[in-house]
Every structure is written in C-alpha cells, then in structure tokens.
Amino acid sequence: MSDQIDQMLKLKTWAIVGLSNNSERAAYGVAKVLIEKGHKIIPVHPKAETVHGQKGYAKLSDITEMVDVVDVFVNSELAGEVVNEAIKIGAKGVWLQLDVIDAGAISRAHDAGLLAVMNHCPAIEYRKRS
C-alpha cells in the first residue's frame, strides 16, 4: 500500500469528490494541504462551488481537463459509483478517504489499471513523510 500511496502523491491534478466551501468538513482542510504540496485541486460537489479559488464541477464527467487522482469524500455506499466514474474519465488513481470503505470498488479500479488507496488520508500521509 505504501508504494501506491507514494506513487499517487506524485500525481498533480486531484478531483476531490465531496469538496464544498464548508470549512468544518475534512475535505476542505485536505484540499488546502494538497494545494500547499503543489497539487492542483478540482472541487466536485452537486453545488459546483468554487473552493480555494478553484472552479467546481457538479460531477466528474463535467471536468474538461485530465484528472490524475479522484479523491473520494463521500459515504461508502456512494463510493463505488464515484470509482466507476473515475475509471470512465481515465483517471490514473482513486483515493478513498478514511472510513470510506468499498473493497469491490478498489478491486474494479485495480482491474482497470488504476492506482487505488482505501481508508487513508493524503494529508496524514504527507505528515508521515515530513
């Protein structure tokens, strides 16, 4: 798993599904850390809000540029569909956040050739590597 995490942290463009302007939510803080570490973030939320100065989209398929990593901040029950969409848009990896658990979705991602991490947080992983 550590190898997959290292590979994904090197990828630059991260679509963050579930990211809104609610600064109380974990996604907001994680997005800020990703920006500080040199990543481009793309907020994905039904409200399509601009977050941290970055234009938001209602769904992954609306994004007009290449996405490297799809970072999933939704309930486990919804994660599988997000992973399916990540595969469809040609993402290089999917990252299911802490407590987002869907082993079947991770398996589908691996089968499609994507890097896949589950039940980890990139902000925590960056702190471990500092």
Side-chain angles (χ1 to χ4, degrees):
M1 180 66 67
S2 181
D3 185 47
Q4 296 233 357
I5 290 171
D6 288 340
Q7 289 179 57
M8 284 225 270
L9 291 177
K10 292 176 185 167
L11 298 172
K12 288 298 169 201
T13 303
W14 289 52
I16 305 178
V17 179
L19 175 58
S20 70
N21 275 311
N22 183 347
S23 62
E24 301 295 312
R25 306 286 301 186
Y28 189 87
V30 170
K32 189 170 189 292
V33 169
L34 288 169
I35 291 167
E36 290 167 356
K37 296 296 184 180
H39 298 279
K40 175 178 182 170
I41 61 115
I42 302 171
V44 180
H45 188 279
K47 293 181 185 174
E49 296 176 322
T50 295
V51 183
H52 296 302
Q54 301 302 308
K55 179 183 182 341
Y57 296 86
K59 53 189 188 254
L60 287 172
S61 60
D62 291 343
I63 299 171
T64 56
E65 63 187 281
M66 183 64 209
V67 171
D68 294 321
V69 178
V70 174
D71 192 0
V72 183
F73 276 96
V74 299
N75 293 331
S76 296
E77 302 80 43
L78 303 173
E81 185 52 40
V82 174
V83 170
N84 293 344
E85 287 295 312
I87 293 166
K88 282 182 195 168
I89 68 164
K92 295 175 185 163
V94 292
W95 189 302
L96 276 57
Q97 283 292 330
L98 293 173
D99 299 323
V100 180
I101 309 296
D102 188 331
I106 292 296
S107 180
R108 287 193 306 280
H110 279 143
D111 290 348
L114 278 69
L115 296 167
V117 171
M118 179 172 67
N119 198 27
H120 286 271
C121 173
I124 292 170
E125 295 303 325
Y126 267 121
R127 277 197 292 276
K128 287 181 185 176
R129 286 157 175 78
S130 295

